[in-house]
Amino acid sequence: MSLSGEKAPQKRYRIAWLPGDGIGIEVLAAARVVLDKLHFTAEYVHGDIGWEFWCKEGDAFPQRTIDLLKSVDAAMFGAITSKPVKAAEAELVPELKGRGLVYRSPIVRMRQLFDLYNCLRPCKAYPGNPLNFKENIDLVVFRENTEDLYSGVEFNQVPPELAEVLARLSKPFAAFKDLPGDQYAISTKINTRKGSERIIREAFEFAKKFGRKKVTVVHKANVVRATDGLFLETAREVAQGYPEIQMDNANIDAMCMWLLKNPFNYDVLVAPNLYGDIISDLCAQMVGGLGFGCSGNIGEKLAVFEPTHGSAPKYSGQQKVNPIATILAAKMMLDWLGETEMGARLETATAAVIKEGKVRTYDMGGANKTLEMAEAIAAKL
Ligand code: IPM
Ligand code: MG
């Protein structure tokens, strides 16, 4: 409040708007309906990203979009069509022929380029959602977002220098040494102490701030000893700084079973990149599936919010899919920007529409359109 008693004008944010492909366009349009109704004051700047730009320019995440992301407070991202395109397949696209290109997922590149190391995925069962696995599930997944098996250091054609080093250093590998380089492939899992420490710390800080009781560290340290061992060891060190919070740990495979058996034994989960990817889909399914999984890719300077789902080309242009995941991602963006009052209002309105059950998209057993869901939520704001 200003001295005159008038409310100070709200900050005008600069938000990168990256709809991407397929239904990404529709769900982002739905999120705009609720942001506008909240009177969130922003300059939305469109950014090109996705399959279309790969086909036209050989780059799904063009430099101009990277530059845009350097100039914004935050970004909303829809979805992109990620296809595992090998160089040979790119040769079949006339515009890309002869350029030796390999498709890399733009979102994975974005996470690395902007060091968006914290992938935050809250999974809450809103009362009345017919898709809830059980009522009252309220899990929060912290996924390391820049390293691990996503490091991008991979070899389809293993170079002889690497084969030689491996043969020298690893007994089992010596047997492969003389295999032609295209008879095996290597994807490296790289986990650093720093990368592990900061995501684990995020999880504990969150638990402390929001009064959560337990942080469960998900790994496979019994087999993947070096990298997951480092992750678990780091977690034990970090946990010492939070005596009020219980630390628990579980192997990823057992975790999947136990989560289904008793989700109420868990609270905050933290995992290296790939296990976090897997476990967050499982948790999202327990609270309604693709229509409800929201995600923040958060770094020190930039954060990009998105629904966890993909671009669902088969539903593209039909106004069919549930926009709630994206609307909850918008709520996460508001919170991250410090607009927590708006964020809370948006969540309350979304929860009210779910509870009422009058407006439901096809996944929830209803026939309402994407925009109708957004308008129903906006009407409660
Ligand atoms: C996710 C997705 C992405 C990932 C894909 C689209 C590259 O599954 O955000 O969870 O693996 O991280
Ligand atoms: Mg995933």
Side-chain angles (χ1 to χ4, degrees), residues 127-202:
N129 182 354
L131 300 171
N132 284 341
F133 173 62
K134 288 182 181 167
E135 295 299 324
N136 303 318
I137 293 175
D138 187 6
L139 296 160
V140 182
V141 179
F142 283 82
R143 165 191 180 187
E144 199 291 318
N145 219 16
T146 58
E147 45 187 49
D148 196 55
L149 264 169
Y150 282 68
S151 65
V153 182
E154 299 195 279
F155 304 92
N156 276 312
Q157 179 82 39
V158 180
E161 335 55 300
L162 178 58
E164 227 162 82
V165 172
L166 287 172
R168 199 155 24 91
L169 300 179
S170 126
K171 235 186 187 172
F173 195 84
F176 300 147
K177 185 175 147 354
D178 298 321
L179 272 181
D182 63 351
Q183 290 303 299
Y184 58 104
I186 297 179
S187 299
T188 57
K189 173 167 159 75
I190 304 176
N191 301 75
T192 64
R193 197 175 281 278
K194 178 185 163 205
S196 306
E197 206 246 304
R198 61 185 182 174
I199 189 67
I200 294 162
R201 196 169 290 289
E202 288 287 337

Side-chain angles (χ1 to χ4, degrees), residues 105 107-108 111 121 143 150 277:
S105 163
I107 185 69
V108 173
R111 289 166 182 165
R121 296 187 158 170
R143 165 191 180 187
Y150 282 68
D277 180 42

Side-chain angles (χ1 to χ4, degrees), residues 117-123 139-145 195-196 198-210 212 214-218 231 267-277 279-280 283 296 298 332:
Y117 64 91
N118 175 8
C119 183
L120 173 57
R121 296 187 158 170
C123 298
L139 296 160
V140 182
V141 179
F142 283 82
R143 165 191 180 187
E144 199 291 318
N145 219 16
S196 306
R198 61 185 182 174
I199 189 67
I200 294 162
R201 196 169 290 289
E202 288 287 337
F204 275 94
E205 280 296 318
F206 176 92
K208 187 172 162 183
K209 184 168 174 194
F210 294 102
R212 301 276 185 149
K214 182 156 96 173
V215 173
T216 304
V217 182
V218 184
F231 194 83
D267 191 345
V268 175
L269 309 178
V270 62
N273 209 336
L274 184 64
Y275 308 142
D277 180 42
I279 211 92
S280 60
C283 292
I298 303 170
M332 292 178 77

Side-chain angles (χ1 to χ4, degrees), residues 21-22 50-52 54-55 60 79-87 89-90 93 96 101-108 154 310-314:
D21 301 315
W51 188 246
E52 186 191 334
W54 159 258
C55 294
I80 33 166
T81 305
S82 280
K83 301 185 191 179
V85 188
K86 291 190 184 147
E89 291 167 76
V93 181
L96 308 181
L101 299 168
V102 179
Y103 186 84
R104 279 196 66 206
S105 163
I107 185 69
V108 173
E154 299 195 279
S311 65
K314 73 172 179 181

Side-chain angles (χ1 to χ4, degrees), residues 325-345:
T326 315
I327 288 171
L328 291 173
K331 177 237 183 263
M332 292 178 77
M333 177 181 78
L334 293 169
D335 287 347
W336 187 76
L337 290 169
E339 300 293 343
T340 48
E341 191 257 344
M342 273 192 205
R345 274 170 58 209

